[in-house]
C-alpha cells in the first residue's frame, strides 16, 4: 500500500462522511482536537485510493465483460491512470493521450448548444473544483448545474430555509459535545457516520438522552463498540439509545405531529420564545389540534402512551439537538418532514441557543461545500451579481434543471453532452432501466473519476464516453478546501504522489475553459491557481470571506452567519416560521401491501461497495430483503427462502429474505440494487425521489 501511513496522518480532510476530520488539525483529528478521530469509513475510503493502477490490458475486454462485475469488483480493479475513450460504435474503452482527451472534450461541448448540456458534481470534489465547474458552465451558457444533494438532503435545504431562512446545520461539533438530548431521526450513523456515535455515547455518559426514531431497530444504535473507548470495547459495547421507537416507514410526520400534540396538551412549550421569536404558531397549533390521537397513532403504529413518553423525555431536556438523515428526506413529503422537525425544536426554543438546534447528517465529505460555492441550478441574485462584478462577465439568468430533470431531458433526447465530476449517477438514480437509457441517449459523456463504477460501463452502449483519471484529495498538486456538515471549512494539503498520469479536477476544467471559450474575459490559466479561486469565492459567496487567505494562513474557519446561538433568524422578519405540514396519503394498497425503504450497508459508502456482507444486519448478500419475522411466518417464508419483490415500477427476482426487527408490513432492501423498484416520482418542492417509501408486494420466487 503506497504511502498508506502518510495518507492516514497527513493534513488532508477525511474522504468519507460530512462529519469530517483531518485538515490542518492533523489526519485523524477533528476541529475539537480529539484524537484519534478515525473510523471504518475513513479507512474504507482510503483503501481504494491507495490501489495500484488498473493494468491497461484489461481494457481489451468489452463493456459487457465489465458489466458482469459487481460494484465491489469494479471498485477494486485498481486506480485509473490513463484517459479512456469509447466511441459510439465501439463496445470497448481504449487508453488515449491527455491531448486527445482534452481535444475530444472541447469538441464535444463546442458542437453542443449550451441548453442541451449539463454539469454535475458529487460531494467528493473540492470547493475549488466545484466553483470552477459552475463558473465554466455558466460562462458557457447554461445553468443546468447540479450536485448529488438533489438525491439526498435537498429537502433539508428547502425545509430549513422555509423555517429559519438558511439551509444548513445551526450547531457546531462543540455544541454537540455540550447538549443533554439528541434526537436521531431516520438515520443510521453506526454505519454511515460512525464517529457521530462517539458523540451519542458521550451524551449518554454525561447523563443525557439519545432518542432514536427509525423503523428499523439498527443494532449499532442500540449498542455500539466505540473504537476510541477502551471501556466500550472491553465491555462489548456502549448502550446508545435511551429511547428507541419504530414507526412505520414514511409515517415520521404523523409521529412528529403527535409529539407536538403531547407537548401542547401538557403545556411543555416555551411560550415566551414562541411569542418573541416566531411567527405562524396559531395556525400550526390549530393544525396539530385538528388531528385525533387515534389517527396519528394508527398511522405511525405507536401507542399514545409511548408517544407521550417521548414528549416527556424531550420536555426534560435543557439543550436538545435534532439530527436526521435520508430516512426523513427520501419521501414525497421530505420537505414537510424537515419542517416538522424544526417545528418541534421551535416549540421549546431549541433553535437560537448554545448547544441546541438542528443537525442534518450530510453524507459525503464536501457535499455541503459544493452547494455553498454554487454548484446548483439557481444562484441567488446577489451572488450572480457579485460573480459578474468580480470577473467582469455576464452570466445567464435562465432557470437551470435539477439532477432528475437533466436526466429526464436526456431520456427525451434533449441532452447532447454532459460533464460528470465524481459520483455514480447511474446507480444513484431511481428506475434503473430508465436511467441507463437516459444516460445512453446523451451523445457524449465526460467522467472525472478515480476508479471505475457501473456508471462508467453501463448507459453508454451506443454513445461516446470519456473517462479522465483525477487525483484523489490527498494527491492534489495544490491545497484544497472542504466544508463539513457543521459549516466548518478545512484545508487539505494534498501532495502525495501515487500515480504518474492523473490530473487535478481544476487543471482539467480550466484547460477545457481555455480551449472552449478562448475569447472569454475570464483568464482560465490564472484560475488554475487555487489561491486565485479562493479569492474569487471569498469575494462572491457570503460567509466565505475567510477563505481568501486560508492557503497561506492555514486558519480553518466556520462559515459566517450560519450557526445560531442567538434567536436571530435569517428570514425577512428575523423570526422563525412555524409551518403547517399536511399528512401524506397511505401509499400501500391491496395490490401492494408492503412499504419498502432502500438502505445502505455497513460495508458501503453512498453507491460505493467496500464489502458484500453487512456485519450489523447479518446479511451475506446484497441481493436481499429484510422483513418482519411475523410477516415471514404468515407468508410461509423461511430463512433460506427466495422471493420476488415487485412494485408498480419494477421487480427484484430471486432475492434472499432475512428476518429483521422492523414493524409488520415494512421491508428493507439495499441501495442501489433496489433502485429497480423505485419510481421517478419525487417531492415537488425539493425534487428528491422517494427512495424510502415504495409500495411493493412480496411472494415466493416461482420454481
Amino acid at each position: 500500500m503506497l504511502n498508506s501511513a502518510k495518507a492516514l496522518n497527513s493534513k488532508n480532510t477525511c474522504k468519507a462522511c460530512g462529519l469530517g476530520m483531518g485538515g490542518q488539525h492533523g489526519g485523524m483529528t477533528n476541529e475539537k482536537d480529539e484524537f484519534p478521530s478515525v473510523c471504518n469509513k475513513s479507512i474504507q475510503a482510503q483503501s481504494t485510493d491507495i490501489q495500484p493502477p488498473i493494468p491497461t490490458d484489461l481494457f481489451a475486454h468489452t463493456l459487457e465483460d465489465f458489466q458482469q462485475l459487481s460494484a465491489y469488483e469494479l471498485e477494486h480493479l485498481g486506480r485509473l491512470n490513463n484517459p479512456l475513450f469509447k466511441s459510439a460504435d465501439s463496445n470497448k474503452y481504449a487508453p488515449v493521450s491527455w491531448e486527445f482527451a482534452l481535444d475530444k472534450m472541447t469538441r464535444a461541448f463546442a458542437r453542443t448548444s449550451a441548453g442541451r448540456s449539463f454539469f454535475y458534481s458529487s460531494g467528493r470534489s473540492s470547493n475549488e473544483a466545484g466553483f470552477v465547474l459552475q463558473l465554466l458552465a455558466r460562462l458557457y451558457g447554461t445553468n443546468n448545474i447540479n450536485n448529488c444533494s438533489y438525491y439526498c438532503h435537498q429537502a433539508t435545504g428547502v425545509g430549513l430555509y422555509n423555517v429559519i431562512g438558511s439551509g444548513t446545520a445551526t450547531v457546531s461539533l462543540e455544541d454537540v459535545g455540550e447538549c443533554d438530548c439528541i434526537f436521531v431521526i431516520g438515520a443510521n450513523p453506526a454505519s454511515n457516520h460512525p464517529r457521530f456515535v462517539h458523540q451519542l455515547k458521550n451524551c449518554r455518559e454525561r447523563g443525557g438522552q439519545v432518542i432514536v426514531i427509525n423503523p428499523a431497530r439498527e443494532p449499532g444504535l442500540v449498542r455500539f463498540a466505540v473504537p476510541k473507548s477502551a471501556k466500550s470495547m472491553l465491555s462489548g459495547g456502549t448502550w446508545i439509545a435511551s429511547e428507541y421507537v419504530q414507526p412505520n416507514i414514511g409515517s415520521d410526520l404523523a409521529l412528529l405531529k403527535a409529539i407536538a400534540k403531547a407537548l401542547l396538551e401538557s403545556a411543555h412549550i416555551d411560550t415566551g420564545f414562541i411569542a418573541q421569536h416566531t411567527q405562524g404558531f396559531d395556525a400550526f397549533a390549530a393544525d396539530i389540534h385538528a388531528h385525533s390521537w387515534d389517527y396519528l397513532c394508527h398511522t405511525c403504529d405507536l401507542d399514545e402512551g409511548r408517544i407521550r413518553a417521548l414528549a416527556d423525555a424531550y420536555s426534560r431536556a435543557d439543550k436538545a439537538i435534532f439530527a436526521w438523515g435520508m430516512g426523513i428526506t427520501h419521501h414525497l413529503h421530505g420537505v414537510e418532514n424537515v419542517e416538522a422537525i424544526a417545528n418541534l425544536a421551535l416549540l421549546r426554543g431549541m433553535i437560537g441557543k448554545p448547544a441546541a438546534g438542528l443537525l442534518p447528517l450530510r453524507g459525503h465529505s464536501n457535499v455541503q461545500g459544493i452547494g455553498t460555492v454554487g454548484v446548483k441550478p439557481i444562484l441567488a441574485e446577489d451572488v450572480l451579481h457579485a460573480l459578474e462584478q468580480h470577473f467582469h462577465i455576464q452570466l445567464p439568468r435562465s432557470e437551470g434543471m435539477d439532477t432528475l430533470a437533466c436526466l429526464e431531458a436526456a431520456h427525451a433526447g434533449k441532452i447532447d453532452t454532459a460533464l460528470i465530476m465524481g459520483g455514480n449517477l447511474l446507480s444513484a438514480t431511481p428506475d434503473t432501466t430508465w436511467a441507463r437509457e437516459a444516460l445512453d441517449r446523451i451523445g457524449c459523456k465526460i467522467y472525472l473519476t478515480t476508479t471505475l463504477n457501473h456508471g462508467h460501463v453501463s448507459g453508454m452502449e451506443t454513445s461516446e464516453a470519456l473517462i479522465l483519471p483525477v487525483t484523489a484529495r490527498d494527491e492534489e498538486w495544490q491545497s484544497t478546501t472542504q466544508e463539513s456538515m457543521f459549516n466548518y471549512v478545512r484545508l487539505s494539503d494534498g501532495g502525495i504522489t501515487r500515480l504518474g498520469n492523473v490530473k487535478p479536477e481544476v487543471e482539467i476544467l480550466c484547460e477545457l475553459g481555455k480551449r472552449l471559450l478562448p475569447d472569454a474575459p475570464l483568464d482560465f490559466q490564472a484560475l488554475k491557481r487555487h489561491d486565485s479561486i479562493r479569492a474569487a469565492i471569498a469575494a462572491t459567496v457570503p460567509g466565505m470571506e475567510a477563505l481568501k487567505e486560508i492557503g497561506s494562513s492555514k486558519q480553518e474557519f466556520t462559515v459566517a452567519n450560519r450557526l445560531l446561538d442567538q434567536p436571530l433568524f435569517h428570514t425577512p422578519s428575523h423570526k422563525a416560521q412555524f409551518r403547517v405540514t399536511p399528512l401524506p396519503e397511505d401509499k400501500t394498497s391491496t395490490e401492494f401491501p408492503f412499504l419498502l425503504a432502500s438502505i445502505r450497508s455497513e460495508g458501503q459508502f453512498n453507491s460505493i461497495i467496500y464489502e458484500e456482507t453487512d456485519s450489523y444486519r447479518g446479511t451475506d448478500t446484497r441481493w436481499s430483503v429484510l422483513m418482519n419475522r411475523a410477516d415471514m411466518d404468515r407468508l410461509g417464508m423461511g430463512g433460506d427462502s427466495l422471493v420476488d419483490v415487485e412494485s408498480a415500477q419494477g421487480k427484484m427476482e430471486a432475492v434472499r429474505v432475512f428476518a429483521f426487527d422492523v414493524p409488520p408490513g415494512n421491508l428493507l432492501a439495499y441501495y442501489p440494487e433496489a433502485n429497480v423498484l423505485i419510481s421517478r416520482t419525487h417531492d415537488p418542492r425539493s425534487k428528491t425521489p422517494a427512495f424510502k417509501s415504495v409500495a411493493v408486494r412480496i411472494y415466493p420466487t416461482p420454481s
Side-chain angles (χ1 to χ4, degrees):
M1 297 193 301
L2 301 177
N3 295 312
S4 57
K6 183 177 180 181
L8 282 173
N9 291 286
S10 62
K11 292 184 176 181
N12 289 290
T13 303
C14 172
K15 301 169 185 176
C17 78
L19 188 68
M21 66 167 189
Q24 297 307 295
H25 286 257
M28 293 185 282
T29 308
N30 63 26
E31 57 260 47
K32 291 175 64 179
D33 281 323
E34 294 175 329
F35 176 87
S37 289
V38 68
C39 68
N40 192 37
K41 283 289 174 286
S42 310
I43 296 167
Q44 288 173 335
Q46 191 66 263
S47 66
T48 53
D49 281 347
I50 61 177
Q51 295 181 101
I54 301 174
T56 55
D57 57 6
L58 279 186
F59 296 106
H61 288 274
T62 65
L63 289 181
E64 291 79 7
D65 292 337
F66 282 101
Q67 289 166 7
Q68 298 305 309
L69 301 178
S70 69
Y72 171 87
E73 290 168 331
L74 281 171
E75 182 73 20
H76 290 83
L77 284 177
R79 284 285 299 276
L80 290 161
N81 192 37
N82 291 286
L84 302 171
F85 175 66
K86 191 206 80 70
S87 64
D89 59 358
S90 173
N91 68 344
K92 294 180 181 180
Y93 278 106
V96 295
S97 70
W98 272 105
E99 181 55 34
F100 177 95
L102 292 168
D103 181 67
K104 176 67 71 172
M105 174 169 58
T106 304
R107 289 175 181 273
F109 279 106
R111 67 173 180 257
T112 299
S113 168
R116 294 179 63 87
S117 69
F118 77 81
F119 294 74
Y120 171 90
S121 176
S122 77
R124 69 161 293 279
S125 297
S126 66
N127 291 327
E128 291 77 12
F131 184 79
V132 173
L133 178 79
Q134 63 89 22
L135 187 62
L136 167 63
R138 290 189 164 91
L139 204 57
Y140 172 59
T142 184
N143 285 322
N144 296 339
I145 306 158
N146 44 73
N147 67 64
C148 53
S149 70
Y150 277 91
Y151 284 170
C152 55
H153 265 292
Q154 184 66 13
T156 288
V158 175
L160 292 188
Y161 185 84
N162 293 339
V163 175
I164 60 175
S166 61
T168 64
T170 68
V171 296
S172 66
L173 183 59
E174 289 81 3
D175 288 326
V176 176
E178 296 172 4
C179 68
D180 61 2
C181 179
I182 304 176
F183 280 81
V184 181
I185 310 173
N188 182 21
S191 286
N192 301 317
H193 304 82
R195 281 177 292 110
F196 188 63
V197 181
H198 178 64
Q199 303 301 325
L200 303 180
K201 174 192 79 76
N202 288 349
C203 182
R204 287 297 307 274
E205 289 181 349
R206 60 179 177 262
Q209 305 174 89
V210 173
I211 299 171
V212 178
I213 298 173
N214 194 323
R217 192 170 180 84
E218 301 287 5
L221 293 181
V222 176
R223 198 172 190 184
F224 187 86
V226 181
K228 186 178 174 181
S229 168
K231 178 182 177 182
S232 178
M233 295 294 287
L234 289 170
S235 65
T238 300
W239 295 103
I240 301 299
S242 52
E243 299 280 348
Y244 202 127
V245 294
Q246 298 173 256
N248 284 325
I249 290 170
S251 70
D252 306 271
L253 193 50
L255 174 55
L256 295 167
K257 284 193 167 197
I259 296 172
K261 187 176 182 70
L263 291 171
L264 290 168
E265 291 179 355
S266 63
H268 285 138
I269 61 174
D270 189 334
T271 54
F273 174 90
I274 291 169
Q276 188 172 355
H277 300 296
T278 74
Q279 293 176 325
F281 173 74
D282 289 343
F284 163 77
D287 175 68
I288 295 297
H289 288 309
H291 295 294
S292 71
W293 274 106
D294 285 348
Y295 180 70
L296 294 174
C297 292
H298 173 75
T299 301
C300 63
D301 196 26
L302 294 169
D303 64 61
E304 181 180 339
R306 191 71 192 277
I307 297 171
R308 288 188 182 276
L310 286 183
D312 183 61
Y314 176 34
S315 71
R316 297 193 301 272
D318 179 51
K319 294 173 286 190
I321 288 175
F322 290 81
W324 66 93
M326 288 179 287
I328 284 294
T329 61
H330 274 175
H331 301 277
L332 299 183
H333 53 283
V335 172
E336 286 88 346
N337 279 346
V338 173
E339 291 172 337
I341 291 172
N343 286 341
L344 265 189
L346 291 177
L347 274 178
R348 298 203 57 243
M350 292 295 176
I351 313 178
K353 64 184 284 188
L358 305 171
L359 178 60
L361 296 170
R362 304 278 181 179
H364 216 311
S365 57
N366 197 41
V367 63
Q368 187 162 300
I370 287 292
T372 293
V373 299
V375 184
K376 48 193 174 186
I378 300 173
L379 282 183
E381 182 59 35
D382 63 327
V383 176
L384 278 169
H385 181 71
L387 286 169
E388 291 176 329
Q389 293 294 108
H390 184 81
F391 289 109
H392 308 291
I393 55 178
Q394 283 192 318
L395 298 175
R397 294 306 197 271
S398 57
E399 184 174 341
M401 294 186 289
D402 61 82
T403 306
L404 187 58
C406 284
L407 287 175
E408 287 173 335
H411 197 271
K414 298 178 180 179
I415 298 292
D416 297 324
T417 306
L419 191 153
I420 300 169
M421 192 162 73
N424 183 347
L425 193 50
L426 172 66
S427 294
T429 299
D431 192 352
T432 305
T433 300
W434 176 91
R436 182 172 175 169
E437 293 170 352
L439 285 164
D440 197 27
R441 291 176 187 178
I442 300 171
C444 180
K445 294 172 291 296
I446 297 99
Y447 293 96
L448 279 63
T449 185
T450 57
T451 57
L452 285 177
N453 60 50
H454 276 297
H456 303 130
V457 298
S458 296
M460 69 263 310
E461 287 78 359
T462 64
S463 53
E464 283 187 352
L466 265 174
I467 298 178
L468 306 182
V470 299
T471 52
R473 182 170 299 159
D474 53 7
E475 301 164 355
E476 287 274 355
W477 299 353
Q478 303 174 66
S479 62
T480 61
T481 58
Q482 295 78 34
E483 180 188 333
S484 79
M485 69 171 74
F486 295 105
N487 308 291
Y488 188 78
V489 177
R490 291 184 172 88
L491 179 71
S492 295
D493 287 347
I496 297 175
T497 300
R498 298 191 184 95
L499 304 172
N501 200 28
V502 296
K503 292 182 183 291
E505 290 164 334
V506 165
E507 183 78 14
I508 296 168
L509 295 172
C510 286
E511 193 61 33
L512 173 61
K514 278 175 53 183
R515 296 171 181 231
L516 180 64
L517 306 169
D519 299 324
L522 192 150
D523 185 349
F524 280 102
Q525 184 63 34
L527 208 60
K528 288 183 179 181
R529 292 186 293 105
H530 290 191
D531 282 341
S532 175
I533 301 170
R534 290 192 281 259
I537 296 172
T540 58
V541 178
M544 294 289 278
E545 292 80 5
L547 193 71
K548 182 178 181 179
E549 305 295 339
I550 195 172
S552 56
S553 71
K554 309 292 186 182
Q555 293 299 307
E556 298 171 326
F557 65 94
T558 298
V559 181
N561 302 316
R562 289 202 183 156
L563 304 184
L564 294 175
D565 57 7
Q566 298 293 326
L568 251 152
F569 302 102
H570 302 300
T571 59
S573 65
H574 299 299
K575 293 186 176 184
Q577 307 294 306
F578 277 97
R579 304 286 295 186
V580 174
T581 51
L583 288 171
E585 297 180 0
D586 184 3
K587 295 182 69 174
T588 58
S589 63
T590 303
E591 184 179 9
F592 299 108
F594 289 89
L595 208 56
L596 177 142
S598 63
I599 55 173
R600 289 159 171 77
S601 70
E602 160 60 17
Q604 175 177 6
F605 184 67
N606 295 333
S607 60
I608 302 172
I609 310 302
Y610 297 114
E611 300 170 2
E612 298 282 1
T613 60
D614 189 341
S615 56
Y616 280 122
R617 300 190 184 105
T619 60
D620 56 8
T621 173
R622 297 186 58 80
W623 198 248
S624 61
V625 61
L626 287 72
M627 188 175 186
N628 177 276
R629 170 63 73 182
D631 284 340
M632 290 176 61
D633 292 342
R634 177 172 56 83
L635 296 175
M637 297 175 180
D640 295 324
S641 294
L642 294 180
V643 299
D644 289 0
V645 184
E646 186 173 7
S647 70
Q649 191 60 48
K651 183 192 292 187
M652 294 176 70
E653 297 180 331
V655 178
R656 277 277 307 279
V657 61
F658 291 86
F660 197 69
D661 191 346
V662 292
N666 291 241
L667 304 174
L668 308 174
Y670 290 113
Y671 158 97
E673 289 82 357
N675 282 357
V676 68
L677 303 171
I678 297 167
S679 77
R680 303 186 308 278
T681 309
H682 53 272
D683 177 356
R685 290 198 279 171
S686 70
K687 315 303 182 185
T688 303
F691 289 97
K692 295 198 185 300
S693 48
V694 185
V696 300
R697 58 179 173 233
I698 183 169
Y699 49 88
T701 299
S703 55

